[in-house]
Amino acid sequence: MTREELLGKKILENCRNQLYLYFPYLDGAFCSMDLKPLYETKRCATDGEFLYFFPEFLMHTYAENPAEVKKGYLHMLFHCLFLHIFQRPVYAEGEVPDDFSVEEIWNLACDISAEFLIDQAAREKKILNFCPENDRNMEIRNTCFSIMRKAEEKYASVYRIYAAVLRGDFPYKPEEMISVFQWDDHRLWRKCQEDKENKIRRKWEQIGSFTAQNKTGSHSRAGTSTDSGQEELDEIYRSRYDYRKFLKRFSKPREEMELDSESFDYIFYNFGMEKYGNLPLIEPLEYKEVNRLEELVIAIDTSGSCSRETVQKFLGETYSILSEKENFFHKMKVYIIQCDCCLQKIDIIHSEDEWKEYCEKVTIQGRGGTDFRPVFRYVQKQIEKREIKDLRALIYFTDGDGIYPQEKPDYETAFVFLKRTEKMNLVPSWALRLVTGQKEQKE
């Protein structure tokens, strides 16, 4: 490395060390990217694997305002943690402003989202030197963030911020907001978005999971502040532990007998129909690849806290998720196990009709204390007998108060809650904590 490159790396390492003092729960994220000089961009950039910097830009900015570089480091880190670098813009009402592309407006939305999260974090930690010096920049930032705070749910995700920019919710031109909110070069994101089997995305999903648990657990340690407001990483918690996304994660590809309307070119198809009457030039394939979930175990805590109506609501939401885009195979095998301190009732569902009938007539058996271990022992026996051949996930619907297994099973496990509660902290670290009944981000 040249002297300038070594100095740039030292600057970023120093910023990282200072940020760690404020945000110790981001330790996994801080350690996840190596620092690397890059001259193709005149700013900083990240592709989720490396944090790139242009030495001259970094030294000049740091000499003028060291706090700006610290904020920029956190800016890029949040792009990765909130998966901005892997997401693409979707259709939203409104028009793209003249002289701007969809990609430029999407990049602006991602930058606003990252800066808003930084602003929330700075307010909670009472870090005052994250604010830019320029008075005009301050005005634009404060006005935009004030609009977002007044209707927080409306701007909860980068997709909603993107739609807000298109609608003109913010009283500034795009070029004004870009000059205020932009820090890094987003061109390296394209490769991440085009790679369908992206290992870097999976890495950041795991880091997000770890970070959310770290953040949640930090409140129980001695010496932490008792007057903190809404957690700035709450969005990570929601996106990582969203019940809907969890179920979709475990669908697997498989070919089924079904017309694939996307496998041929409509131009040639229509040309053949017009030219020769009823003779299309290309027929669609009679099979298509779909992503579906075949085997699943749903355990229901039938202690006194789970009523019949609550269980029906949970099963209804589960069915609505799985029935979307045909996530189930035509031949399904779903174990629904009722258990309090012991197994009370076991039903095996093989079709959608059986599922609907079960939901309508479900009766709760048990009402004793809660012990989660019998369900795991039963599932293990079924796996050993080859009754269960390819289990990818076990979902346990509960209020969280019970005896948990100590060892992690070979399949993914999630304990599902109707709402957030302190009892979620009892869930062992090897299992996921999901919250159902939440609104999903638009993907």
Side-chain angles (χ1 to χ4, degrees), residues 302-304 338-342 344-345 363-369:
T302 57
S303 63
Q338 296 188 31
C339 180
D340 48 12
C341 61
C342 60
Q344 294 289 348
K345 193 172 187 293
T363 56
I364 303 302
Q365 299 182 17
R367 302 306 186 189

Side-chain angles (χ1 to χ4, degrees), residues 319-440:
Y319 173 78
S320 67
I321 295 170
L322 293 174
S323 60
E324 283 182 5
K325 299 181 181 179
E326 301 171 327
N327 287 302
F328 258 149
F329 289 114
H330 293 306
K331 294 181 180 179
M332 65 177 76
K333 192 173 186 180
V334 181
Y335 286 78
I336 301 182
I337 304 172
Q338 296 188 31
C339 180
D340 48 12
C341 61
C342 60
L343 299 179
Q344 294 289 348
K345 193 172 187 293
I346 300 171
D347 294 277
I348 303 177
I349 308 298
H350 298 93
S351 67
E352 294 185 47
D353 292 337
E354 290 182 16
W355 182 291
K356 292 177 182 178
E357 183 179 359
Y358 179 87
C359 291
E360 291 174 359
K361 300 179 180 179
V362 61
T363 56
I364 303 302
Q365 299 182 17
R367 302 306 186 189
T370 304
D371 188 343
F372 303 112
R373 296 172 297 177
V375 170
F376 290 86
R377 288 195 291 263
Y378 171 78
V379 171
Q380 185 58 38
K381 289 180 181 178
Q382 297 303 108
I383 293 175
E384 292 171 358
K385 293 192 296 184
R386 301 292 296 167
E387 292 293 329
I388 298 178
K389 299 178 182 179
D390 188 25
L391 180 63
R392 309 189 72 191
L394 183 149
I395 299 168
Y396 213 126
F397 180 64
T398 180
D399 65 349
D401 192 4
I403 304 173
Y404 291 88
Q406 294 184 353
E407 296 184 0
K408 181 184 183 303
D410 295 331
Y411 43 85
E412 195 93 41
T413 303
F415 290 88
V416 182
F417 299 76
L418 270 181
K419 59 182 180 180
R420 298 187 191 180
T421 170
E422 291 295 326
K423 293 179 181 178
M424 294 178 73
N425 295 327
L426 301 175
V427 175
S429 59
W430 49 261
L432 295 179
R433 295 168 292 182
L434 308 179
V435 180
T436 186
Q438 295 181 339
K439 295 182 179 178
E440 181 194 21

